[in-house]
Amino acid sequence: MTATPLDELVDSYCDVWWAVDPVAATAVGARGHDHRLGSYTEEEVGGYLAALKSLAGALEECTVDGLDDEIDRTALLGQIRSSMYRFEHETPHVRDPIFWASHALEGVHRLLLASDRSPDEQARAAVGRIRDIPSFLQDARTTLRECSAVLARTAIKLLRNGPSLIDVVAQTFPPTDEPEFASLCEQARAALREFADELENDIAEDEREAGFAIGEEAFNFRLHFQHALRATAPELWRFGMHLVEETEAEIAALAAQVDPGSPWQDVVARLREDHLSGAALLESYHTQMERAKRFVEDRGLVAIPDGELRVTETPPFLQPLIPFAAYQPPQALSSTRIGWFYVTPGAPGAKGQPERDHSRHAIPTTSLHEGYPGHHLQLLTAYHQPRLVRKLLWSPLTVEGWALYCEEMMGEEGYYTSLEEQMFQKMALLLRACRVVVDIGLHTRGWTVPQAVAFLQERVQHEQSLVEAEVHRYCAEPVYQLCYAVGRRELLAVRDAYRLSRGADGTLRAFHDDVLRFGGLPVALIRWGLGLDE
């Protein structure tokens, strides 16, 4: 098949993207970039911006053929404009040490997950990336200015855990053709420790708790171009506050059935004490994910693509960014389809604290969110799409919104087996409602970290150390956190419109299959593609 002008521009975008971010190339399975880290000096970023501007102009002028092409072009233009704005105005390479620390460590960690690479390929790539770490972190030192202490603290935790990752790689890929590999590993460990030390010294000299907020203009820009949302921060703030109140009332009603006369907060606290730990915790998540998969298959709720899902403990270097649990998808362009579900046991920094935040009553909701029919199923489906844009580009509004939508949809279909499980599904919704408020509060309304921690802890009743880790992540990832609840809202609206439009043909299975053929593109573009545009 002859490539269209749009196909050629998509390929050009990938070339630019992966040249600048080779870790992203490894993450999606693109070859040729595994041996190096990126370069984010101000000069290099300037070149990247010039290339993106050229691509944006060409995309605006290219001829497209049909609605699918127009949708993909719109999605790619939104991605490019978001990236340009981020590096021009938010400047993460200048103000955020997490940007540098996570790139270096994720670059090495991704090699451990590159199951379609041979051991020799993985080993050679590990040599290259570990060799790059000292110079990469030196670039970080010369580029970063006026870092917020909030962001620096999270970066320090990542960096302190980094040497353990180097140890794992050194043990996993001992290359036979690189006699200096042990020395390179030690140099990388030393560079990680030294950068952490310098950040700690900078915090001691100038305790800047502020400086993480991107501001309302940048916040709204992301909403519009990255997620194709018409809503702005003030409207979503009101939505979030209303959803918090509504969900708290639903939890109280369920708690009154579980334990009449007790405040719902006390009921939740008691149920959280019913938890698992260690190997039993991981096995429970695995069992529940298999149960959810069978339920989806038996009910015919959505097509299930091939792909393996493995449950494992969160690597130590990632635990500062994953205080509870998270999903890491397969490589989109790889022939293998292995996703990873990370479980972080216990609350970070909590001495002697049992793994009560992994209540057995909450495990069913978390499992279907991350596995079937949530993230794993959705992204596997996206990777089977023939159109490259739909394999590679995604908005958390759609991906996180879909997974949260699934938590509720599965309840409607009778998945939960007890009132306690229903309560914890609502508790999961309450957390996501609070995230809308906290995300907007931190980045557009001048909220401090203690203010955000107090708001979140009062409502979701988690341990303080877990809540603090959550809020620090929100500071580092603006706009992402509201995507869960807002994405759910948008998908429910599309489902209503779909049923009205399709009549008897608008079954739940048909809706799910039609939505997922767009991959993780913004919900507004899915609505457009389904002929439901307002």
Side-chain angles (χ1 to χ4, degrees), residues 39-57:
S39 180
Y40 299 102
T41 63
E42 292 184 86
E43 180 180 0
E44 290 288 344
V45 168
Y48 176 41
L49 287 169
L52 289 179
K53 289 175 182 176
S54 176
L55 276 171

Side-chain angles (χ1 to χ4, degrees), residues 13-89:
Y13 169 75
C14 290
D15 289 341
V16 172
W17 177 22
W18 296 332
V20 172
D21 190 349
V23 176
T26 302
V28 300
R31 292 182 174 272
H33 305 276
D34 293 345
H35 63 288
R36 64 186 180 87
L37 297 174
S39 180
Y40 299 102
T41 63
E42 292 184 86
E43 180 180 0
E44 290 288 344
V45 168
Y48 176 41
L49 287 169
L52 289 179
K53 289 175 182 176
S54 176
L55 276 171
L59 272 170
E60 289 170 343
E61 295 175 4
C62 86
T63 302
V64 295
D65 182 19
L67 180 59
D68 278 331
D69 275 3
E70 190 62 72
I71 288 171
D72 288 2
R73 172 168 67 172
T74 302
L76 184 54
L77 274 170
Q79 180 80 11
I80 290 174
R81 287 167 177 157
S82 296
S83 296
M84 289 169 55
Y85 190 93
R86 184 176 179 225
F87 279 102
E88 285 182 320
H89 299 281

Side-chain angles (χ1 to χ4, degrees), residues 105 109 112 154 156-168 312-323 342-345 348:
L105 296 173
H109 180 241
L112 295 169
T154 299
I156 290 166
K157 291 178 182 177
L158 288 169
L159 293 163
R160 293 294 186 211
N161 286 320
S164 66
L165 173 64
I166 304 299
D167 293 343
V168 171
T312 187
E313 185 172 331
T314 307
F317 87 95
L318 280 177
Q319 291 187 12
L321 293 180
I322 305 175
Y342 292 140
V343 179
T344 303

Side-chain angles (χ1 to χ4, degrees), residues 206-336:
D206 186 3
E207 184 81 1
R208 273 185 297 272
E209 291 290 353
F212 58 81
I214 62 172
E216 189 165 339
E217 180 180 345
F219 201 92
N220 287 336
F221 190 98
R222 285 199 185 202
L223 290 174
H224 183 66
F225 286 102
Q226 186 177 1
H227 308 303
L229 276 173
R230 296 177 183 173
T232 59
E235 188 270 322
L236 294 179
W237 169 275
R238 293 189 294 273
F239 161 72
M241 293 297 289
H242 175 75
L243 186 59
V244 167
E245 295 173 0
E246 178 182 77
T247 308
E248 284 181 338
E250 292 174 337
I251 294 168
L254 286 167
Q257 298 179 64
V258 173
D259 187 357
S262 296
W264 70 261
Q265 294 89 344
D266 291 350
V267 178
V268 168
R270 175 174 59 79
L271 293 175
R272 280 200 176 123
E273 296 299 333
D274 184 7
H275 59 80
L276 298 172
S277 60
L281 175 63
L282 298 180
E283 179 60 28
S284 179
Y285 274 113
H286 174 76
T287 300
Q288 287 292 341
M289 285 180 171
E290 289 298 311
R291 175 188 163 226
K293 183 179 180 180
R294 288 194 302 272
F295 186 93
V296 170
E297 187 173 26
D298 292 345
R299 298 298 178 94
L301 297 177
V302 63
I304 299 179
D306 293 333
E308 183 182 355
L309 180 57
R310 297 180 182 176
V311 180
T312 187
E313 185 172 331
T314 307
F317 87 95
L318 280 177
Q319 291 187 12
L321 293 180
I322 305 175
F324 178 66
Y327 170 72
Q328 187 142 281
Q331 298 167 297
L333 303 180
S334 170
S335 58
T336 61

Side-chain angles (χ1 to χ4, degrees), residues 466-482:
L466 179 64
V467 173
E468 288 174 349
E470 283 267 321
V471 170
H472 290 166
R473 180 160 55 90
Y474 302 174
C475 293
E477 298 178 353
V479 185
Y480 193 106
Q481 308 310 322
L482 62 76

Side-chain angles (χ1 to χ4, degrees), residues 509-524:
R509 169 64 180 264
F511 170 71
H512 293 159
D513 288 345
D514 276 350
V515 164
L516 292 185
R517 68 184 174 87
F518 293 91
L521 297 189
V523 179

Side-chain angles (χ1 to χ4, degrees), residues 237-528:
W237 169 275
R238 293 189 294 273
F239 161 72
M241 293 297 289
H242 175 75
L243 186 59
V244 167
E245 295 173 0
E246 178 182 77
T247 308
E248 284 181 338
E250 292 174 337
I251 294 168
L254 286 167
Q257 298 179 64
V258 173
D259 187 357
S262 296
W264 70 261
Q265 294 89 344
D266 291 350
V267 178
V268 168
R270 175 174 59 79
L271 293 175
R272 280 200 176 123
E273 296 299 333
D274 184 7
H275 59 80
L276 298 172
S277 60
L281 175 63
L282 298 180
E283 179 60 28
S284 179
Y285 274 113
H286 174 76
T287 300
Q288 287 292 341
M289 285 180 171
E290 289 298 311
R291 175 188 163 226
K293 183 179 180 180
R294 288 194 302 272
F295 186 93
V296 170
E297 187 173 26
D298 292 345
R299 298 298 178 94
L301 297 177
V302 63
I304 299 179
D306 293 333
E308 183 182 355
L309 180 57
R310 297 180 182 176
V311 180
T312 187
E313 185 172 331
T314 307
F317 87 95
L318 280 177
Q319 291 187 12
L321 293 180
I322 305 175
F324 178 66
Y327 170 72
Q328 187 142 281
Q331 298 167 297
L333 303 180
S334 170
S335 58
T336 61
R337 290 286 186 265
I338 301 174
W340 299 84
F341 175 57
Y342 292 140
V343 179
T344 303
K351 296 180 180 179
Q353 171 62 36
E355 291 151 328
R356 65 191 297 274
D357 295 306
H358 293 285
S359 165
R360 70 171 71 242
H361 306 293
I363 288 175
T365 299
T366 303
S367 298
L368 71 88
H369 179 106
E370 306 292 352
Y372 300 90
H375 290 325
H376 191 58
L377 184 147
Q378 182 187 33
L379 292 175
L380 284 176
T381 305
Y383 299 161
H384 282 85
Q385 301 306 308
R387 305 178 71 87
L388 188 58
V389 165
R390 299 180 192 188
K391 289 179 185 286
L392 298 180
L393 300 190
W394 58 278
S395 162
L397 184 83
T398 303
V399 172
E400 299 295 0
W402 166 263
L404 185 58
Y405 158 81
C406 287
E407 294 180 18
E408 188 169 40
M409 179 273 294
M410 291 281 277
E412 293 168 350
E413 293 298 306
Y415 177 72
Y416 301 113
T417 61
S418 67
L419 287 171
E420 289 84 356
E421 289 184 3
Q422 293 176 45
M423 273 191 69
F424 275 84
Q425 183 263 312
K426 291 299 180 182
M427 285 299 297
L429 178 58
L430 178 60
L431 172 62
R432 278 44 172 264
C434 290
R435 282 177 175 174
V436 178
V437 177
V438 175
D439 195 358
I440 296 169
L442 286 168
H443 289 284
T444 75
R445 295 195 168 213
W447 274 29
T448 64
V449 168
Q451 187 176 359
V453 168
F455 176 88
L456 197 58
Q457 189 173 11
E458 178 183 353
R459 283 158 178 82
V460 300
Q461 309 292 305
H462 282 306
E463 293 299 315
Q464 182 168 344
S465 57
L466 179 64
V467 173
E468 288 174 349
E470 283 267 321
V471 170
H472 290 166
R473 180 160 55 90
Y474 302 174
C475 293
E477 298 178 353
V479 185
Y480 193 106
Q481 308 310 322
L482 62 76
C483 286
Y484 299 76
V486 177
R488 164 186 169 271
R489 179 184 77 167
E490 299 299 301
L491 283 167
L492 287 171
V494 172
R495 187 175 74 176
D496 289 343
Y498 185 90
R499 285 172 167 169
L500 184 63
S501 170
R502 303 298 197 269
D505 293 331
T507 64
L508 193 62
R509 169 64 180 264
F511 170 71
H512 293 159
D513 288 345
D514 276 350
V515 164
L516 292 185
R517 68 184 174 87
F518 293 91
L521 297 189
V523 179
L525 300 186
I526 296 174
R527 176 187 280 271
W528 183 17

